[in-house]
Amino acid sequence: MQDLKVQFFVSGGTVNAVDGVSFEIDRGEIVGIVGESGSGKTMTALSLLRLIPEPGRITNGRILYGEKDVAQMTDEEIREFRGNEIAMIFQDPMTSLNPVLRIGFQVEEAMIAHQRFSNKQAKERVVPMLQRVRIPAAKDRVRDYPHQFSGGMRQRAMIAMGVSNEPSLLIADEPTTALDVTVQASIIELIRDLSRELRASVILITHNMALVASLCNRVIVMYAGRIVEQGPTRAIFKNPQHPYTWSLLRSMPRVDEKEKERLISIKGLPPDLGKMPPGCKFHPRCKFRVDRCFTEEPPLDEVDPGQRARCWVLMKNIANPEAQAQT
Amino acid sequence: MRGTLLYIGQRLVLIAVTTVLVSSIVFLLLHQIPGNAFLNETRQTPQALAAELHRYGLDLPLQSQYVNWVQGVLHGNLGESLVNRQVKITPLLVRETSVSATVGFFALLVTVGLGLLLGVVAALRQNTWIDYLASSTAVVGYSIPSFVIAIFGLLVFGHYLYLWTQGTFYYVPGWGKLEQIPVPALALGLPYASYVARLTRASMLETIRTDYVRTAWAKGLKARVVVVRHALRNALIPVVTILGPLITGIITGSVVIENIFGIPGLGKEFVTSILARDYNIVIGVFTFYAALVGLANLTVDVIYPILDPRIRY
Ligand SMILES: Nc1ncnc2c1ncn2[C@@H]1O[C@H](COP(=O)(O)OP(=O)(O)O)[C@@H](O)[C@H]1O
Ligand code: SF4
Ligand SMILES: [Mg+2]
């Protein structure tokens, strides 16, 4: 993905939901996208399938999948592409399944939509697919409607739908946010196991830094429609260079943390994307800002091999960040 | 399944009770009106009148008349016409109901078919000229009462286009040709079609923005499948809820339309029998209407859970 820009044309102006986002995903890789609500994570993911809702539009950038540009595909090409090459699992399984169609049928039609399986094969694969996502008594439950399923089971059904065509990229947009804590771990485990079996890449969108640490090879941190930092998970967790990433990690409770008050939450709200501040978009909330931050937006520069950050100062240049952050 | 049957059974009992109740109210009210069906018979001697009254049991005290009437209704016997001797009312009204139902069925087809079509097209082309055209047509259609459309239809097909269409669509004495149905059915169905169109448009605009429709796109389904199977299927649910009142509206509307077009249905009988003071028929028509409205609503309620599996009886 190169220089993606998604704009919403609403009454009262233009909202740049995603502004100049570029990244690559390699085969088999698990990449985490983190950031507060409204930072453009979902819109970035939806643009990979060209599913930006009205009044939004992709106004710039190329989305290359192999040799093909998603933005240039014909309607029929993009239809064949969706769910077949890239599948998406949405945030809220309560509303993402059609309430009037049987679970089994919703999985089946995902397969019938593409050339991979004949109608007969598709029908036969439904129960095995549900078993594969570990829905108990799958045989009896294919004819159930979504309202007869619990939240966790619905998300499993969504996953079954997603992987039914063996896509090479699976996007999971906060797949556990809407679920009970007790089932979150098993859903994540399921996504990880299936992606390994299918040798598919995964984009995992989440708020949960612990999840990213345990699952992802690489992390992309988004703020106000931009990538502010990206790099290998280990590097980012060990040496976050952008103050926003640093604060995100500092606001994450850790088992080895002794003093409770050392948890630092990020004060203030992310900017209104219609009225973006000049300079670095994070400066109103940044504890480490310098004069330049108010007027000039920093570029996303390489700070270490494979790690990039969008900041004039960088955390490595701050002697005692803890002390400064407490002020 | 058993629950559904039980539910239908309960509703049927309720419909029977309502029907008898409506019948009773009309019976009691009509008997407050002075005069009777025999007033306009010429050369009537007091003896002859007394004989007539006795023949129909009209000389009995009101309580006994009422008991006789209700017993009749419960056995499906609505008595005899007071004007046309020996004409049994129940079979007469059954025959007329089938005429009315045919027109009503086509009116319902117009309502639902045209309404859904306009509504879906307007929603899919929201804020384009197609939407504006469909939506303003709907507003106009909704604002014109059906009798105006009926008279307009008569003018067009019975006058301007009479020769061109060779009178095909125009009422010629005698009913029973299929070609006579479209014009009255349109007149009867059009106002409600506009209503359905507006509701469908609003409902579709809601469903095409839902998460599950987004899921359907993300699966790579064809546009037609997404629109029909996912968006429209769900958009139909609120539309079906108004089908009950709508059918009731078509039934009441048919009284006017049948008289304008001279269709020998229940609605025409209704007016004719009132003018002739044929009270037995008047009560009978009311009784039929009550049962019809009840059955129509029951049918809709039975369809409802098929469309929305979350509803179970
Ligand atoms: N329908 C819409 N109209 C206007 N702006 C929108 C609309 N949907 C999303 N946006 C904008 O896009 C931004 C990014 O949204 P989103 O990608 O959903 O964030 P995230 O997934 O990171 O929480 C939001 O902050 C909002 O300003
Ligand atoms: S550029 Fe300045 S304001 Fe922005 S994150 Fe870095 S230090 Fe903070
Ligand atoms: Mg989101």
Side-chain angles (χ1 to χ4, degrees):
Chain A
M1 173 176 297
Q2 289 169 5
D3 204 23
L4 175 75
K5 187 164 187 162
V6 176
Q7 292 180 305
F8 280 84
F9 299 94
V10 290
S11 55
T14 314
V15 175
N16 297 333
V18 180
D19 201 346
V21 164
S22 309
F23 59 82
E24 276 165 31
I25 312 274
D26 290 332
R27 177 120 213 168
E29 209 181 14
I30 301 185
V31 176
I33 301 185
V34 294
E36 282 160 297
S37 295
S39 54
K41 307 182 297 291
T42 300
M43 292 307 142
T44 304
L46 286 176
S47 51
L48 289 168
L49 289 171
R50 229 169 75 189
L51 275 177
I52 302 295
E54 291 285 325
R57 211 160 309 146
I58 299 175
T59 50
N60 193 28
R62 298 201 298 166
I63 302 156
L64 295 177
Y65 180 86
E67 294 294 299
K68 292 208 106 168
D69 186 349
V70 172
Q72 303 296 327
M73 287 184 184
T74 64
D75 285 354
E76 179 56 24
E77 280 172 330
I78 189 79
R79 184 195 70 70
E80 192 53 45
F81 179 76
R82 290 173 182 152
N84 201 7
E85 302 290 349
I86 300 184
M88 188 151 173
I89 295 156
F90 295 98
Q91 182 169 354
D92 190 354
M94 293 304 177
T95 57
S96 295
L97 287 164
N98 189 328
V100 305
L101 298 177
R102 297 180 199 280
I103 296 277
F105 180 75
Q106 295 191 51
V107 177
E108 184 185 328
E109 71 172 355
M111 288 185 272
I112 289 175
H114 302 289
Q115 255 80 76
R116 219 176 279 254
F117 305 104
S118 70
N119 291 7
K120 188 163 163 285
Q121 280 174 318
K123 207 168 212 77
E124 285 165 356
R125 272 173 55 92
V126 172
V127 174
M129 277 320 301
L130 293 182
Q131 283 164 343
R132 203 164 170 190
V133 296
R134 299 164 202 165
I135 289 177
K139 245 199 200 87
D140 307 321
R141 306 216 63 176
V142 276
R143 290 182 59 78
D144 276 4
Y145 289 96
H147 71 273
Q148 293 163 298
F149 269 44
S150 68
M153 287 302 144
R154 287 189 217 192
Q155 197 61 299
R156 284 171 198 275
M158 281 294 294
I159 295 170
M161 233 182 262
V163 299
S164 63
N165 285 301
E166 300 175 354
S168 40
L169 173 62
L170 193 63
I171 306 171
D173 187 359
E174 305 190 27
T176 58
T177 309
L179 298 179
D180 237 37
V181 228
T182 49
V183 299
Q184 290 184 355
S186 62
I187 295 286
I188 292 296
E189 210 172 284
L190 179 65
I191 292 175
R192 188 195 57 202
D193 293 351
L194 286 173
S195 68
R196 272 188 199 152
E197 286 167 33
L198 299 171
R199 288 187 298 121
S201 319
V202 177
I203 296 181
L204 179 70
I205 299 174
T206 178
H207 292 299
N208 189 336
M209 292 302 268
L211 203 62
V212 172
S214 68
L215 209 63
C216 301
N217 312 107
R218 276 196 305 129
V219 198
I220 293 171
V221 182
M222 287 190 67
Y223 187 80
R226 289 153 174 74
I227 294 179
V228 292
E229 183 156 12
Q230 70 181 87
T233 308
R234 289 189 58 183
I236 299 253
F237 275 72
K238 216 163 144 219
N239 291 310
Q241 289 306 315
H242 194 281
Y244 179 64
T245 318
W246 183 84
S247 328
L248 274 184
L249 291 168
R250 293 296 299 111
S251 64
M252 173 184 143
R254 288 203 329 230
V255 272
D256 59 346
E257 210 76 54
K258 285 179 198 78
E259 302 142 81
K260 257 236 172 91
E261 66 265 36
R262 287 180 62 189
L263 276 177
I264 301 161
S265 60
I266 310 171
K267 303 230 162 48
L269 293 168
D272 177 346
L273 299 186
K275 299 190 288 274
M276 205 75 90
C280 172
K281 305 310 164 212
F282 189 55
H283 86 251
R285 300 166 75 188
C286 186
K287 296 277 189 188
F288 310 100
R289 63 193 177 199
V290 293
D291 288 348
R292 197 180 184 184
C293 307
F294 290 83
T295 51
E296 278 178 81
E297 175 153 28
L300 185 64
D301 276 344
E302 187 144 58
V303 289
D304 260 324
Q307 187 177 357
R308 292 166 163 271
R310 191 186 287 279
C311 177
W312 292 125
V313 178
L314 299 178
M315 295 309 289
K316 63 183 172 193
N317 300 320
I318 306 220
N320 189 353
E322 301 283 338
Q324 205 172 331
Q326 297 291 2
T327 57
Chain B
M1 194 59 216
R2 263 198 62 207
T4 312
L5 287 179
L6 193 72
Y7 171 79
I8 294 175
Q10 286 170 342
R11 285 285 300 267
L12 284 174
V13 171
L14 221 64
I15 290 170
V17 172
T18 318
T19 306
V20 172
L21 224 64
V22 167
S23 182
S24 305
I25 292 169
V26 179
F27 177 92
L28 294 172
L29 285 177
L30 279 181
H31 278 81
Q32 305 308 311
I33 302 176
N36 58 50
F38 316 115
L39 280 180
N40 45 7
E41 299 202 1
T42 46
R43 293 189 304 276
Q44 200 173 49
T45 61
Q47 291 89 339
L49 179 60
E52 289 289 3
L53 290 176
H54 181 72
R55 182 175 135 73
Y56 290 99
L58 292 173
D59 53 346
L60 295 171
L62 190 59
Q63 298 96 298
S64 345
Q65 283 191 43
Y66 176 66
V67 169
N68 288 343
W69 175 260
V70 171
Q71 269 172 359
V73 172
L74 289 175
H75 290 93
N77 176 12
L78 294 166
E80 276 181 27
S81 163
L82 298 176
V83 176
N84 302 308
R85 304 288 146 81
Q86 311 220 282
V87 172
K88 291 254 182 287
I89 294 175
T90 309
L92 172 77
L93 294 188
V94 166
R95 208 165 51 242
E96 288 173 345
T97 301
S98 77
V99 171
S100 293
T102 313
V103 180
F105 174 76
F106 282 98
L108 198 64
L109 266 185
V110 169
T111 301
V112 174
L114 206 64
L116 286 183
L117 190 73
L118 281 181
V120 169
V121 168
L124 293 181
R125 297 274 174 272
Q126 194 198 0
N127 298 335
T128 64
W129 66 269
I130 299 176
D131 178 23
Y132 297 136
L133 184 71
S135 297
S136 48
T137 310
V139 173
V140 172
Y142 190 54
S143 322
I144 304 178
S146 63
F147 70 87
V148 175
I149 301 177
I151 292 170
F152 187 70
L154 273 186
L155 198 64
V156 171
F157 291 102
H159 184 68
Y160 296 135
L161 300 181
Y162 186 79
L163 287 179
W164 189 59
T165 59
Q166 300 179 320
T168 308
F169 300 106
Y170 181 61
Y171 161 68
V172 271
W175 177 263
K177 282 197 290 187
L178 214 60
E179 303 90 82
Q180 295 169 326
I181 292 177
V183 181
L186 265 174
L188 194 51
L190 226 44
Y192 298 107
S194 318
Y195 191 68
V196 170
R198 284 168 44 168
L199 190 68
T200 306
R201 176 179 180 272
S203 181
M204 273 296 280
L205 285 179
E206 221 167 272
T207 55
I208 55 180
R209 279 168 180 65
T210 57
D211 286 351
Y212 55 80
V213 167
R214 184 178 61 183
T215 305
W217 288 117
K219 284 200 261 188
L221 300 180
K222 293 203 163 64
R224 187 177 43 83
V225 176
V226 176
V227 168
V228 176
R229 191 186 288 161
H230 290 269
L232 184 59
R233 256 304 292 279
N234 282 281
L236 280 182
I237 294 171
V239 177
V240 168
T241 56
I242 64 141
L243 227 48
L246 209 110
I247 294 173
T248 312
I250 287 181
I251 291 175
T252 28
S254 69
V255 174
V256 176
I257 295 298
E258 286 181 10
N259 278 285
I260 292 177
F261 287 96
I263 300 167
L266 215 49
K268 183 144 191 301
E269 186 66 65
F270 184 53
V271 175
T272 315
S273 57
I274 286 181
L275 293 177
R277 290 170 185 268
D278 200 337
Y279 296 152
N280 280 0
I281 295 189
V282 176
I283 309 169
V285 172
F286 268 113
T287 310
F288 262 67
Y289 277 153
L292 281 177
V293 169
L295 289 173
N297 279 298
L298 175 60
T299 312
V300 172
D301 288 348
V302 171
I303 296 175
Y304 197 62
I306 298 174
L307 271 177
D308 187 353
R310 286 162 295 187
I311 310 289
R312 278 278 164 268
Y313 299 120

